[in-house]
Amino acid sequence: MTDEDRFDRLYETHRPDLEGFVRRRIPPAQVEDIVAETFLVVWRRLDDVPAEPRPWLFGIARNLMLRSMRSSGRWHALQVRLAAQPRLLSEDLASSVATRTDLARAWAKLSAGEQEVLALIAWDGLTTNEAAAVLNCQIGTFRMRLMRARRHLLHILDRLPPVEARPARPVTNGALS
């Protein structure tokens, strides 16, 4: 029996029960995603399928649901914290804009590889293990790339010339000259 046949049999036999298990625990909009992710894990770990796969499948689905709930909880907590933040004063806003401008200028000077490594951690919120898996490299290799990218970004930020304000144009008769 081929791997595809084994997988198809597992899917056909256990999908309805797995879907019911998941449906009883999470909102309907997420059920299909969790079931699909569960079978993705099964495909990747097809050699690890035990003789009685149902509890194993439920365990995988449970872990995926817990991870999903943790992510949702973090997003909700972030939204609560952001809503509780006081409004910035105009001085703080100017400082924030200057910082963002410097960061954007420094970001543009990084290589595409450095940007990717930093983005996986800072923007996508991946762990170093997850990011290494995304880039299909060893964890140690990824950590070294991340350290070098961070160091290079800080180096660029330290050496950026300040943004100079443009001189105002004189106004004559109510019109710009």
Side-chain angles (χ1 to χ4, degrees):
M1 179 182 302
T2 68
D3 286 349
E4 289 84 6
D5 293 336
R6 286 178 54 212
F7 179 81
D8 288 345
R9 181 178 291 169
L10 273 169
Y11 183 84
E12 293 298 323
T13 304
H14 296 286
R15 188 200 47 79
D17 287 343
L18 182 64
E19 193 173 295
F21 174 81
V22 173
R23 190 174 306 284
R24 288 186 293 275
R25 288 165 174 75
I26 63 173
Q30 298 173 344
V31 171
E32 191 174 316
D33 289 340
I34 295 295
V35 171
E37 268 190 88
T38 301
F39 280 105
L40 177 63
V41 171
V42 170
W43 176 252
R44 290 179 179 157
R45 297 180 53 197
L46 199 54
D47 292 336
D48 298 335
V49 175
E52 177 50 48
R54 192 166 178 253
W56 184 70
L57 291 168
F58 285 8
I60 293 169
R62 180 181 174 275
N63 289 337
L64 292 169
M65 287 184 287
L66 289 172
R67 186 179 73 196
S68 176
M69 285 186 262
R70 281 192 304 269
S71 294
S72 297
R74 285 191 296 264
W75 276 109
H76 178 70
L78 176 61
Q79 290 170 341
V80 168
R81 283 196 313 267
L82 289 174
Q85 290 293 317
R87 297 269 182 211
L88 293 173
L89 298 174
S90 61
E91 292 173 12
D92 292 337
L93 181 58
S95 172
S96 176
V97 168
T99 301
R100 288 180 183 203
T101 301
D102 286 347
L103 188 54
R105 290 169 52 214
W107 183 263
K109 293 178 184 259
L110 293 173
S111 72
E114 291 169 328
Q115 289 176 355
E116 182 176 34
V117 167
L118 290 169
L120 287 170
I121 299 296
W123 290 344
D124 299 319
L126 298 178
T127 65
T128 52
N129 292 354
E130 293 167 335
V134 168
L135 296 180
N136 197 26
C137 68
Q138 296 293 320
I139 295 167
T141 302
F142 180 82
R143 285 184 178 146
M144 182 61 68
R145 289 179 188 172
L146 179 62
M147 181 190 70
R148 288 178 180 161
R150 284 177 174 160
R151 189 179 297 155
H152 189 206
L153 180 62
L154 290 173
H155 176 79
I156 293 168
L157 283 169
D158 285 344
R159 284 158 182 72
L160 273 180
V163 177
E164 294 183 21
R166 293 184 178 158
R169 294 182 178 178
V171 178
T172 12
N173 297 333
L176 291 177
S177 56

